[in-house]
């Protein structure tokens, strides 16, 4: 099993450009999450999904969009990149049945907006 | 409201000394509690988790944590730290119901003094 795979690992965007951060998991997890991590700020939840076709906002959803058309994939879309979106983005998945709610993380995408 | 508080932003301990990282939570239902570790430039790795039963749980790398319901705490401990333990540590509370999501604390950065 590959676990949670994020692409790309690094990206530099110009202000106003758009891009999609890809996330795929092969563990048949129904929950998936997107977090951003800023220095000294810990992890902030952007969006999450409890299953295909269902998404919900987290703490910091502004400037982002998500979709969940399949169980495996949970892409994060930035429409108009801003310097405030410079961060490290982590995708995670979990299967919250009793005894197995551990979140599995991807390796992260380091995004710089200039 | 669901929340996780890690009151210590940065802790420095000497190699070989004992360690305790604090975590307090607020959660409306039965909490599933986790400690994750993030080494520099890496994703998050699960150290240990607690669902029920014995309130003292053992994890990887010699870490343990104790759940204290009366204090809403889940502190992480290690009897003797090693230089390789220098990292960022995150406490998290996980979902029980289908409407819940994983919430992370802001993290504690651990430095090791030679």
């Amino acid at each position: 099993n590959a676990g949670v795979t994020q692409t790309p690992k690094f990206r530099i965007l110009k202000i106003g450009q758009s891009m999609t951060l890809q996330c795929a998991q092969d563990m048949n997890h129904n929950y998936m999450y997107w977090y951003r991590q800023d220095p000294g700020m810990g992890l902030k939840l952007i969006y999450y999904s409890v299953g295909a076709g269902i998404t919900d906002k987290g703490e910091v959803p502004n400037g982002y969009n998500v979709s969940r058309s399949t169980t495996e994939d949970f892409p994060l879309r930035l429409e108009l990149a801003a310097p405030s979106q410079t961060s490290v983005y982590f995708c995670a998945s979990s299967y919250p049945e009793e005894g197995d709610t551990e979140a599995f993380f991807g390796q992260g995408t380091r995004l710089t907006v200039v | 409201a669901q929340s996780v508080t890690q009151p210590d932003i940065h802790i420095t301990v000497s190699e070989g000394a004992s360690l305790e990282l604090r975590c307090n939570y607020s959660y409306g239902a039965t909490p599933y509690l986790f400690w994750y570790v993030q080494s520099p430039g890496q994703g998050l790795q699960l150290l240990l988790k607690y669902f029920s039963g014995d309130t003292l749980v053992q994890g990887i790398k010699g870490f343990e944590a104790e759940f204290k319901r009366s204090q809403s705490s889940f502190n992480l401990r290690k009897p003797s730290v090693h230089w390789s333990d220098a990292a960022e540590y995150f406490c998290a509370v996980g979902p029980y119901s289908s409407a819940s999501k994983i919430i992370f604390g802001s993290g504690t950065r651990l430095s090791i003094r030679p």
Side-chain angles (χ1 to χ4, degrees):
Chain A
N1 283 349
V4 179
T5 303
Q6 289 183 239
T7 55
K9 288 186 170 52
F10 304 93
R11 183 72 185 268
I12 298 175
L13 277 184
K14 293 184 178 179
I15 295 172
Q17 286 185 320
S18 62
M19 77 163 294
T20 299
L21 281 65
Q22 301 292 345
C23 176
Q25 53 92 8
D26 61 0
M27 297 173 283
N28 202 33
H29 286 171
N30 51 348
Y31 276 54
M32 294 188 76
Y33 310 82
W34 273 106
Y35 295 90
R36 59 176 288 172
Q37 184 180 34
D38 302 311
M41 299 298 290
L43 291 165
K44 298 290 187 184
L45 182 65
I46 305 171
Y47 272 95
Y48 70 106
S49 169
V50 302
I54 306 169
T55 62
D56 207 348
K57 296 178 180 179
E59 300 173 79
V60 290
N62 292 344
Y64 307 95
N65 280 298
V66 294
S67 59
R68 185 93 182 272
S69 56
T70 66
T71 299
E72 294 78 19
D73 300 298
F74 190 43
L76 178 71
R77 179 86 178 157
L78 284 71
E79 291 294 349
L80 291 170
S84 61
Q85 293 177 304
T86 294
S87 188
V88 181
Y89 292 84
F90 287 100
C91 179
S93 72
S94 70
Y95 188 73
E97 296 296 316
E98 185 169 353
D100 191 16
T101 64
E102 171 188 350
F104 292 81
F105 283 82
Q107 289 298 301
T109 296
R110 185 175 295 275
L111 176 66
T112 302
V113 182
V114 296
Chain B
Q2 303 166 0
S3 66
V4 178
T5 301
Q6 293 180 248
D8 303 306
I9 296 173
H10 184 204
I11 285 181
T12 300
V13 299
S14 298
E15 189 167 17
S18 63
L19 171 71
E20 182 169 26
L21 302 182
R22 295 183 291 166
C23 173
N24 293 96
Y25 67 90
S26 173
Y27 202 71
T30 303
Y32 292 136
L33 295 158
F34 308 86
W35 275 100
Y36 287 83
V37 60
Q38 184 183 31
S39 298
Q42 301 297 312
L44 279 72
Q45 179 186 21
L46 182 71
L47 280 177
L48 47 79
K49 56 189 176 184
Y50 172 78
F51 302 114
S52 64
D54 191 347
T55 56
L56 185 64
V57 293
Q58 303 297 321
I60 61 171
K61 305 184 181 186
F63 285 91
E64 66 179 27
E66 186 172 13
F67 171 62
K68 293 186 177 179
R69 185 184 299 275
S70 61
Q71 299 177 19
S72 296
S73 70
F74 188 57
N75 294 348
L76 181 71
R77 302 195 294 247
K78 187 169 184 178
S80 175
V81 298
H82 186 262
W83 64 267
S84 60
D85 293 324
E88 186 107 23
Y89 292 80
F90 293 94
C91 182
V93 59
Y96 179 79
S97 74
S98 61
S100 300
K101 54 191 179 287
I102 297 174
I103 300 293
F104 283 81
S106 55
T108 297
R109 184 161 62 94
L110 174 65
S111 297
I112 306 298
R113 192 184 300 120

